Amino acid sequence: MSCHKTVYITTPIYYVNDIAHIGHAYTTIIADTIARYSRMSGLDTFFLTGTDEHGQKIEEAAKTRGKTPQAYADEISATFKNLWDEFGISYDRFIRTTDDAHKKGVQYAFQKMFDKGDIYKDIYSGHYCISCEAFFPKSQLVDDEFCPECGKITSIVEEESYFFRLSAYQDKLLAWYEENPNCILPKSKRNEVIRFVEAGLEDLSITRTSFDWGVKLPSNLNDPKHVMYVWLDALMNYLTALGYGNDEERMQYWPARVHLIGKDILRFHAIYWPAFLMSLDMPLPKHIAAHGWWTRDGQKMSKSKGNVINPKEVADAYGLDNFRYFMLREVPFGGDGDFSQKALIDRINSDLGNDLGNLLNRLIGMSQKYFDGKIDSTNVAKYYQAELDEMKASIAKLEPSLFEMQIHRYLEELWRPLSVANKSIDKYQPWVLMKDGKDEEAMALVALIANILANVAIMLYPIMPIATQKIARALGFEVDNNSWRKIVKEEMLLDTFVISKIPPLFPRIEEPLLAHAKTSSTQESDTTKEEKEDKGVALIGIDQFFQTTLKIGTVIEASELPKSDRLLLLQIDIGEAKPRQIVAGIKEYYSPDSLVGTQVCVVANLKPAKLMGTKSEGMLLAAKDENGLHLIRPEAPKTNGTFIK
Ligand code: MSP
């Protein structure tokens, strides 16, 4: 990391077409963690979050609810802000793209890019995915009409549009990626972006005329039927929040130290955003860090699937700090993670309860029993230099891993001193030392444990701000810049202090605390509590079942997929104009010839996918047990395309 005096950290601004789920909470909690560390270490920090409120998707969402887009945006934006407030998220500003100052700033930027010759007017004709708010060239579409990102059908747009000369920035972007190996984190993502840009960039349509809900163009362009493309509007928030195009009051925070995002919006941040900034002659952000997806039972979470998890519900049940720890510890940054209560409970009981909580309890117990709670660090180095060194070595490794977004590594490393402490108690046995009259050595051991816990409390504070403050207070200090500097930076030991007794911080959790961790407000269900708890399986409503379209079809062609041991390539008539091409992993169990002419059950509304480079437009139902795999078929012949209910 280069040495900036100011640190600017951002989350994406969240669309107001949906309320927050754990994916949103994850991004925000990571950003909050970095911001807290940055402030604790004395850096002048500005942490921005907010809501993205314009665009066709929001306009349509408001319409279906019979509300004006503004009223609808006000309502949902407030739910995000309230949630972050309840979560104690330490943002410095919550921006809304419907703020007047933001709109003015975006118009200012548009005008600047226009004056520079980077914006021209033409006709856009092509495909647009409303769900992703993104244009796609035909070459990228699945099956000529489906969105390559979300699989939904795209709409054809043919309208007058202003374009941004993205193509003119291709080489400059490639040079930026080249010269800044850490500009996109994790590094694997940078390679993906480079490959995408190398394949060639087309100019970007940045205005729309077919709807209204967006920022108007600067008035001197005299083109009132256009509104700005929502991503141009949204990305600019990172600048307008600092006063860009207005009072410029906080521009000293630019460039951003890190834009935290999810991997699905990397293209916008790693390609469009730097190109816009280059056009505006602004410095580029230091890092764009893309995390992976949280899934539920292996599936992407979405409102339409009804499988979203409400972060508040989880935090209320398990504790906010515990939830934060789990999210950051469980998945390596950039990777996907599956949410399960079992994994959460294991982390709480084992890492937090056993390793950390018990250590604190043992410390409190020993110090009370042997020394009336009064601890003195004078002789720690005399007896336990090796243990102290081990702790310091771990603590010193932490800061760089945090700023490189290796937060799971950070936590892994932070647990080493805890293990040193726990092992030292078992190895040196303070009760034996006391019995043998080695009081000084026993005191040094208890003080070693206290000092390890002090270091861990400080460094764990950004992730678990509440619990760690309690630990620090029990040890007689507050976590703040002062204690961070003395204890972590200057490696000073704690002064003489009295340990206070506090109740156990991480009581053991025996059973899942949520019968059904999901968003109750987006998904109403009549299911009873007993039904939900049945075998621990998440129950679904009938409406969710019917989100899967199942149809009867007849295999009309079947062949082996070259180079694959597992896959067969099938053409199946499911009563549509063209047969469906399905790649199925059944080669071990069926020969192609035996399948032709037989009927099968097809999942007909599955997002198309590529298997071994071959497109697959559905899935067959089959059952596999110790007797092998068998396809599920109708008991009697059925017309192709018959719905299965
Ligand atoms: N409005 C845009 C961002 C504009 S930033 C200039 C947007 N909003 S969003 O609400 O759809 O998503 C916001 C963030 O939440 C994204 O970073 C996205 O990756 C993240 N997540 C949404 N669902 C997620 C999961 N299931 N798991 C992890 N993060 C996910 O995109």
Side-chain angles (χ1 to χ4, degrees):
M1 299 290 301
S2 67
C3 238
H4 268 270
K5 291 229 174 53
T6 58
V7 174
Y8 182 30
I9 298 156
T10 67
T11 73
I13 45 173
Y14 302 106
Y15 282 132
V16 291
N17 67 326
D18 204 352
I19 64 167
H21 60 64
I22 62 163
H24 304 121
Y26 181 56
T27 323
T28 307
I29 289 169
I30 300 175
D32 184 60
T33 295
I34 313 272
R36 282 175 186 272
Y37 187 86
S38 170
R39 281 191 210 103
M40 177 173 80
S41 62
L43 297 166
D44 180 5
T45 306
F46 194 80
F47 168 20
L48 175 72
T49 189
T51 41
D52 187 356
E53 307 184 8
H54 289 127
Q56 202 168 354
K57 179 156 70 172
I58 311 296
E59 191 181 76
E60 289 184 2
K63 207 182 282 168
T64 55
R65 288 165 180 81
K67 297 191 173 154
T68 64
Q70 185 65 59
Y72 177 61
D74 288 348
E75 195 182 296
I76 307 286
S77 176
T79 67
F80 274 95
K81 188 158 185 291
N82 290 342
L83 179 67
W84 303 149
D85 288 342
E86 279 178 53
F87 274 12
I89 299 297
S90 63
Y91 62 83
D92 294 290
R93 169 135 197 232
F94 186 98
I95 192 170
R96 301 183 53 185
T97 53
T98 49
D99 292 342
D100 280 341
H102 168 76
K103 291 192 259 185
K104 251 178 80 188
V106 179
Q107 288 169 334
Y108 173 80
F110 192 98
Q111 185 71 51
K112 257 192 120 171
M113 298 196 290
F114 185 86
D115 292 344
K116 195 169 178 185
D118 277 344
I119 291 179
Y120 63 91
K121 200 162 155 180
D122 204 340
I123 300 286
Y124 180 82
S125 124
H127 289 257
Y128 192 77
C129 171
I130 297 176
S131 181
C132 296
E133 296 282 16
F135 297 100
F136 292 101
K138 202 147 189 190
S139 59
Q140 281 179 29
L141 297 176
V142 175
D143 244 8
D144 293 341
E145 55 182 350
F146 296 101
C147 171
E149 300 283 339
C150 71
K152 294 198 180 125
I153 191 146
T154 54
S155 37
I156 296 175
V157 170
E158 168 129 8
E159 59 188 45
E160 183 187 276
S161 174
Y162 286 82
F163 283 80
F164 173 74
R165 283 187 206 284
L166 186 62
S167 57
Y169 286 92
Q170 179 167 345
D171 293 343
K172 287 185 195 135
L173 285 168
L174 288 170
W176 181 57
Y177 308 137
E178 183 64 32
E179 285 156 21
N180 297 278
N182 286 328
C183 60
I184 298 166
L185 296 171
K187 287 183 189 163
S188 56
K189 293 273 183 260
R190 172 171 160 265
N191 301 336
E192 274 174 34
V193 171
I194 293 177
R195 278 197 299 275
F196 189 91
V197 175
E198 278 173 347
L201 293 176
E202 290 181 14
D203 289 350
L204 181 69
S205 162
I206 50 164
T207 67
R208 302 289 306 274
T209 56
S210 49
F211 65 96
D212 270 345
W213 185 236
V215 180
K216 301 268 178 264
L217 301 201
S219 53
N220 61 331
L221 291 179
N222 218 353
D223 222 345
K225 62 178 189 295
H226 288 261
V227 293
M228 285 191 215
Y229 173 41
V230 63
W231 271 101
L232 172 66
D233 165 4
L235 287 163
M236 286 297 165
N237 95 90
Y238 301 133
L239 282 180
T240 62
L242 302 180
Y244 183 77
N246 282 292
D247 55 20
E248 309 261 313
E249 229 172 315
R250 290 172 295 270
M251 285 307 288
Q252 77 272 18
Y253 288 105
W254 191 259
R257 173 67 71 99
V258 55
H259 292 308
L260 258 160
I261 57 167
K263 63 180 182 183
D264 53 320
I265 54 175
L266 182 60
R267 180 160 51 110
F268 303 99
H269 283 80
I271 302 174
Y272 300 172
W273 182 226
F276 293 155
L277 287 167
M278 286 174 186
S279 174
L280 295 170
D281 295 316
M282 295 294 285
L284 303 189
K286 293 286 157 212
H287 303 286
I288 295 160
H291 63 67
W293 279 81
W294 279 93
T295 54
R296 168 96 184 259
D297 306 321
Q299 289 210 319
K300 189 173 159 180
M301 264 179 262
S302 78
K303 197 158 124 185
S304 54
K305 285 201 195 101
N307 64 350
V308 282
I309 297 170
N310 181 344
K312 172 134 170 55
E313 214 175 88
V314 181
D316 283 350
Y318 288 95
L320 177 59
D321 271 11
N322 298 350
F323 173 53
R324 286 173 65 112
Y325 173 79
F326 167 74
M327 295 212 100
L328 301 196
R329 176 65 186 81
E330 190 66 9
V331 219
F333 187 87
D336 293 340
D338 201 46
F339 182 88
S340 86
Q341 293 193 73
K342 184 180 174 309
L344 172 58
I345 293 170
D346 284 352
R347 288 280 173 204
I348 296 174
N349 287 345
S350 155
D351 302 7
L352 297 177
N354 291 347
D355 302 343
L356 175 61
N358 278 353
L359 184 66
L360 178 69
N361 297 343
R362 288 170 103 181
L363 173 71
I364 294 173
M366 290 186 299
S367 58
Q368 301 281 340
K369 185 163 170 199
Y370 305 132
F371 309 112
D372 280 338
K374 201 168 171 215
I375 302 302
D376 175 344
S377 302
T378 316
N379 292 310
V380 179
K382 178 170 161 196
Y383 294 101
Y384 302 106
Q385 188 62 50
E387 285 78 6
L388 268 186
D389 288 346
E390 235 184 296
M391 170 193 79
K392 287 179 190 162
S394 285
I395 299 289
K397 285 188 199 155
L398 297 175
E399 192 179 292
S401 55
L402 187 79
F403 281 113
E404 279 167 20
M405 299 299 136
Q406 296 290 321
I407 305 181
H408 67 290
R409 290 253 166 80
Y410 178 103
L411 287 168
E412 228 170 64
E413 190 66 48
L414 187 54
W415 250 244
R416 280 187 222 280
L418 291 178
S419 144
V420 170
N422 278 312
K423 281 192 192 134
S424 303
I425 300 178
D426 299 340
K427 182 168 163 199
Y428 301 109
Q429 304 185 322
W431 51 94
V432 175
L433 295 174
M434 288 303 286
K435 207 172 74 209
D436 295 348
K438 296 179 177 166
D439 294 23
E440 184 183 283
E441 209 175 319
M443 166 65 90
L445 180 62
V446 174
L448 168 76
I449 309 303
N451 279 285
I452 289 181
L453 272 168
N455 275 272
V456 170
I458 295 172
M459 295 307 271
L460 187 57
Y461 163 84
I463 293 117
M464 303 183 65
I466 305 164
T468 50
Q469 205 62 275
K470 288 186 187 158
I471 298 175
R473 282 182 198 144
L475 301 180
F477 71 96
E478 287 283 318
V479 178
D480 54 20
N481 172 243
N482 195 28
S483 55
W484 175 85
R485 195 169 28 76
K486 279 205 198 134
I487 297 173
V488 170
K489 267 282 122 140
E490 294 166 15
E491 301 185 352
M492 285 164 65
L493 296 181
L494 291 166
D495 294 331
T496 303
F497 65 98
V498 176
I499 292 200
S500 342
K501 244 179 138 157
I502 56 168
L505 291 174
F506 310 106
R508 206 178 157 74
I509 299 172
E510 301 294 348
E511 290 194 336
L513 300 174
L514 292 173
H516 200 191
K518 73 172 184 189
T519 313
S520 41
S521 36
T522 59
Q523 174 84 40
E524 245 54 278
S525 160
D526 295 324
T527 321
T528 63
K529 189 161 178 294
E530 288 69 25
E531 281 170 326
K532 283 178 181 173
E533 280 166 352
D534 183 30
K535 299 192 195 98
V537 174
L539 299 181
I540 58 167
I542 189 80
D543 49 338
Q544 276 168 275
F545 172 73
F546 281 119
Q547 282 164 14
T548 315
T549 308
L550 298 171
K551 287 185 179 181
I552 302 291
T554 300
V555 181
I556 50 177
E557 273 175 40
S559 58
E560 294 188 350
L561 198 68
K563 293 204 214 108
S564 171
D565 300 335
R566 243 174 31 81
L567 302 175
L568 291 183
L569 178 62
L570 309 172
Q571 303 294 337
I572 302 177
D573 178 354
I574 58 164
E576 296 175 341
K578 301 194 288 184
R580 283 287 181 107
Q581 170 163 303
I582 293 183
V583 178
I586 54 173
K587 185 170 164 187
E588 271 175 74
Y589 307 97
Y590 290 93
S591 70
D593 289 350
S594 71
L595 287 168
V596 177
T598 66
Q599 287 205 303
V600 287
C601 300
V602 176
V603 181
N605 62 341
L606 204 62
K607 173 177 160 185
K610 277 200 168 164
L611 295 172
M612 304 271 299
T614 305
K615 190 175 65 193
S616 181
E617 309 165 303
M619 207 170 77
L620 301 188
L621 295 191
K624 187 176 169 191
D625 63 6
E626 59 282 3
N627 300 318
L629 177 143
H630 290 95
L631 288 165
I632 310 290
R633 305 177 186 279
E635 205 176 20
K638 288 276 154 228
T639 311
N640 289 332
T642 304
F643 283 100
I644 302 174
K645 292 187 185 172

